[in-house]
Amino acid sequence: MVREAKGKAGADTQVPLRSLGLSLSGGEQKEAIQTLIEELKTRFPQLSESYHITSDAIGAMATATDHGGVVLISGTGSNCKLINPDGSQISCGGWGHMMGDEGSAYWIAHQAVKIVFDGLDNLEVPPHDISYVKQAMFDYFQVSDRMGLLTHLYRTFEKSKFAGFCQKLAEGAQAGDPLCGYVFNKAGEVLARHVVAVLPRIDKSLFQGELGLPILCVGSVWNSWEKMKDGFVGVLGEHRCSAFSRFSLLRLKQSSALGGASLGARQIGQALPLDYAANVDVFYTHAFS
């Protein structure tokens, strides 16, 4: 990919870049990143003179602003990271589906399936009728009963495949199914709790801009924002204070690779002239009364 990019830019593919910045999922694992850099230097010595590899969350924020804020990822998995103006970072979540991923597509799908299973077992009373979700579950996984679903849950389990059921639930929520709407509202609540978790460590200057606290939302689950809004705003409203009285939700209009490249340039003392306002779209702002 880098060689292809060099060619498109009219650069000599045999001349190393001064710095290569990459924004990758899992980019906060220092040992793995160091191993990757060493491998790149060994196998592709003409690629770059230096490397800066960071996580997708950091790359996303560097694409949106150079002042910091909160990145809230909700795609197949979920993660929350606070980046303060001084560069300090605080995380909440990001531990994968066995230990976290709350509010993600996987989590939403799992919550819905669990409600159906528990309801049919008479273990828990479902908050709403399960008919739509049960049939959508059977149709999506192409099974006729719960026993057929066990193969997908265990022997052939694929996280991305299971998380894909969230799309069917989003369609149900859009069509007005109460149980689908309930699960998305719960997703909004738990995503907001990630922000609450990092609130005590947020630099006060991040509350004071025109947008209030900027929250950069990454991942496909945010396409269902309208179904998560009440839960999300409700939880944040419980923690409003004189400093935290307003927040805005932003989404990227450009790839987080742009931020990765910017950080790579910064590592060698250079600054890429980014138009941050053109890189994001503010899709929701809320001021607490």
Side-chain angles (χ1 to χ4, degrees):
M1 291 175 65
V2 176
R3 287 173 176 168
E4 182 181 349
K6 284 183 178 180
K8 289 183 177 180
D12 188 339
T13 58
Q14 296 304 307
V15 176
L17 298 171
R18 289 191 60 197
S19 181
L20 176 60
L22 300 173
S23 171
L24 305 174
S25 177
E28 60 281 312
Q29 301 177 40
K30 293 183 179 180
E31 290 185 5
I33 293 306
Q34 189 56 44
T35 300
L36 174 59
I37 291 174
E38 291 173 1
E39 188 72 10
L40 287 170
K41 288 181 176 179
T42 301
R43 295 181 59 187
F44 308 101
Q46 305 302 318
L47 204 60
S48 182
E49 294 176 0
S50 73
Y51 294 86
H52 182 85
I53 301 179
T54 189
S55 69
D56 47 358
I58 300 300
M61 183 56 75
T63 304
T65 176
D66 60 352
H67 298 306
V70 174
V71 182
L72 193 51
I73 298 175
S74 181
T76 300
S78 66
N79 192 9
C80 177
K81 189 173 290 288
L82 160 68
I83 300 101
N84 277 316
D86 65 0
S88 61
Q89 301 173 20
I90 302 295
S91 297
C92 176
W95 302 114
H97 69 281
M98 290 293 289
M99 295 299 294
D101 277 349
E102 292 89 350
S104 68
Y106 169 84
W107 183 89
I108 291 169
H110 183 268
Q111 291 286 303
V113 170
K114 187 74 165 74
I115 288 172
V116 171
F117 270 62
D118 288 350
L120 293 175
D121 279 348
N122 200 32
L123 180 65
E124 297 282 352
V125 177
H128 298 282
D129 183 79
I130 64 173
S131 299
Y132 174 89
V133 174
K134 182 178 73 170
Q135 190 57 51
M137 179 179 77
F138 290 160
D139 292 345
Y140 177 78
F141 291 101
Q142 297 183 320
V143 297
S144 58
D145 55 29
R146 288 183 292 165
M147 291 300 294
L149 191 59
L150 295 182
T151 298
H152 297 277
L153 294 175
Y154 299 103
R155 186 163 61 84
T156 63
F157 174 76
E158 293 181 27
K159 179 180 176 181
S160 59
K161 167 73 172 179
F162 191 85
F165 181 51
C166 180
Q167 176 60 39
K168 298 302 179 183
L169 298 171
E171 293 171 5
Q174 189 64 34
D177 178 72
L179 181 55
C180 292
Y182 169 85
V183 176
F184 272 94
N185 187 71
K186 288 296 182 183
E189 291 178 353
V190 74
L191 286 170
R193 292 209 303 271
H194 285 69
V195 178
V196 171
V198 302
L199 272 179
R201 305 293 293 277
I202 294 177
D203 187 284
K204 295 298 187 289
S205 65
L206 290 178
F207 296 121
Q208 296 168 359
E210 179 182 350
L211 299 176
L213 177 65
I215 303 174
L216 180 61
C217 303
V218 179
S220 60
V221 172
W222 292 104
N223 293 332
S224 298
W225 162 245
E226 288 299 325
K227 302 304 177 184
M228 300 191 293
K229 181 170 66 175
D230 289 348
F232 189 89
V233 174
V235 168
L236 289 189
E238 295 172 1
H239 297 270
R240 64 184 182 273
C241 59
S242 58
F244 178 46
S245 61
R246 184 182 181 90
F247 71 89
S248 293
L249 303 183
L250 298 74
R251 61 166 58 96
L252 288 181
K253 295 164 65 177
Q254 304 292 340
S255 167
S256 62
L258 191 61
S262 174
L263 294 172
R266 190 180 303 173
Q267 178 171 282
I268 59 170
Q270 302 295 318
L272 293 184
L274 299 184
D275 183 356
Y276 292 110
N279 291 345
V280 295
D281 171 46
V282 180
F283 68 92
Y284 183 78
T285 296
H286 185 87
F288 300 112
S289 57

